[in-house]
Amino acid sequence: MMKWISNAVVNWLKHKRPLPRTPLSDFERVRHEIKPCDVILVEGRSRVSDVIKLITQSNWSHAFMYIGRLHDIEDPQLRERLGKHYTGNPDKQLIIESELGMGTVVRPLTVYEGEHLRICRPRGLGFSDSQKVVSHVISRLGDDYNVRQIFDLARFLFPWTVMPRKWRSSLFSKRPGENTQTVCSTMIAEAFGHIQFPLLPLVKREAGSGFQLYMRNPKLCTPSDFDYSPYFDIIKYPFLDFHQQSDQRLLPWQGASALSAEEREMYINIPEDLKTLNDDTQ
């Protein structure tokens, strides 16, 4: 009975809204420019994504790591282990993620075609270290998704003075079997922590001019932390890219498309006379 209830809750949380008719990201450019060890952020469309967005106050609700193709993995033992979890086309671009209802899995990058994506690239990471990071995420394949950690994180963000003790976060408590469960950002943060690559460390000034870094607990990491981190470069490939234009007024503001009643509350339809005044080519 409990398993049936659990499955029903998971299925309800996994329900997704339809993809937007026009995506915000150019998936073709993303998949051609992406590199192994890149972290990809996703603006999710599911109910659990809405919960994570509310908790983290960010539009990014999910993160996964790109590991390349099977032949990009140098270590033959790692390739063999990866092959036990993925039996599809060896030329497919692969990602590893921790997903509700699936656990930690390897899937083709194409499952996120049409989604709003952002690339977070670890700055200055060498090939040897990148292989160690990839090795770590491969070692987590098969781990369960830790739903409780999401709610623990929510409870942790409440002030301790107003939270009853029995409701307070248990993120730091030690329990047998806890290392076999994870969430998307924690799994990736642990992989970078494995090579001591900083995400959002605590920086303390020592006597004199020295500094010391303290690694953040990976269980407190959220997808948006990769966006905020000064040690990751942010790469965006918008669906409509106007960077080659020298004037923002050359953007296609004009057209025959009409806004819906709901859209008119959030977007502005530029009047025709103002379009003409702002166009130096007229």
Side-chain angles (χ1 to χ4, degrees), residues 7-250:
N7 290 338
V9 171
V10 167
N11 290 333
W12 184 83
L13 288 171
K14 287 173 57 181
H15 177 76
K16 292 184 178 181
R17 296 182 296 276
L19 280 169
R21 295 175 61 184
T22 304
L24 288 174
S25 301
D26 185 343
F27 182 75
E28 287 303 309
R29 286 199 67 189
V30 168
R31 76 182 188 89
H32 280 103
E33 301 291 343
I34 199 172
K35 296 180 179 180
C37 223
D38 281 352
V39 178
I40 315 300
L41 304 183
V42 186
E43 183 181 4
R45 297 174 288 111
S46 66
R47 291 188 175 108
V48 71
S49 296
D50 293 337
V51 172
I52 296 172
K53 291 177 187 178
L54 180 64
I55 293 172
T56 63
Q57 294 295 292
S58 168
N59 282 342
W60 306 111
S61 62
H62 184 55
F64 60 82
M65 180 175 289
Y66 176 67
I67 62 170
R69 297 173 172 86
L70 276 173
H71 58 73
D72 292 326
I73 310 298
E74 279 197 334
D75 190 332
Q77 292 183 340
L78 280 179
R79 284 201 306 270
E80 182 181 356
R81 175 162 187 171
L82 187 61
K84 294 178 180 178
H85 294 268
Y86 177 75
T87 57
N89 187 337
D91 290 326
K92 283 281 189 180
Q93 293 174 287
L94 302 177
I95 65 170
I96 290 182
E97 61 179 337
S98 292
E99 179 75 7
L100 178 66
M102 294 189 295
T104 304
V105 295
V106 54
R107 299 203 288 171
L109 175 65
T110 49
V111 298
Y112 285 101
E113 185 171 0
E115 302 282 0
H116 186 195
L117 307 175
R118 175 173 293 180
I119 299 175
C120 301
R121 180 164 294 162
R123 184 177 301 165
L125 191 66
F127 179 78
S128 176
D129 280 337
S130 69
Q131 288 290 299
K132 292 177 183 177
V133 172
V134 170
S135 172
H136 190 276
V137 295
I138 291 176
S139 72
R140 301 304 301 271
L141 286 172
D143 286 1
D144 293 330
Y145 188 89
N146 193 350
V147 181
R148 178 168 182 170
Q149 186 172 327
I150 298 295
F151 295 101
D152 269 358
L153 182 60
R155 291 185 293 168
F156 184 83
L157 296 178
F158 280 97
W160 284 79
T161 55
V162 302
M163 180 69 69
R165 182 173 298 276
K166 64 180 180 179
W167 289 357
R168 293 177 186 173
S169 174
S170 58
L171 275 172
F172 302 104
S173 62
K174 302 292 185 181
R175 290 188 177 87
E178 222 177 21
N179 61 346
T180 63
Q181 294 185 331
T182 188
V183 296
C184 61
S185 49
T186 292
M187 183 265 295
I188 298 173
E190 287 174 345
F192 283 106
H194 183 65
I195 62 166
Q196 298 185 21
F197 187 91
L199 179 54
L200 284 175
L202 173 65
V203 181
K204 284 202 169 187
R205 187 188 295 271
E206 294 184 324
S209 59
F211 296 90
Q212 182 175 352
L213 299 182
Y214 292 85
M215 189 177 299
R216 196 179 190 194
N217 188 323
K219 291 184 178 181
L220 291 177
C221 292
T222 66
S224 61
D225 288 342
F226 296 96
D227 192 17
Y228 298 148
S229 174
Y231 304 105
F232 283 76
D233 293 324
I234 306 304
I235 305 171
K236 307 175 186 177
Y237 293 112
F239 182 72
L240 294 175
D241 193 349
F242 305 111
H243 287 147
Q244 296 180 355
Q245 303 287 358
S246 60
D247 193 331
Q248 76 277 4
R249 286 171 292 185
L250 296 177

Side-chain angles (χ1 to χ4, degrees), residues 21-22 252-260 263-264 268-270 272 275:
R21 295 175 61 184
T22 304
W253 297 119
Q254 303 184 36
S257 179
L259 295 174
S260 68
E263 289 170 337
R264 282 196 294 270
I268 299 173
N269 190 12
I270 301 177
E272 289 296 330
K275 294 176 185 175

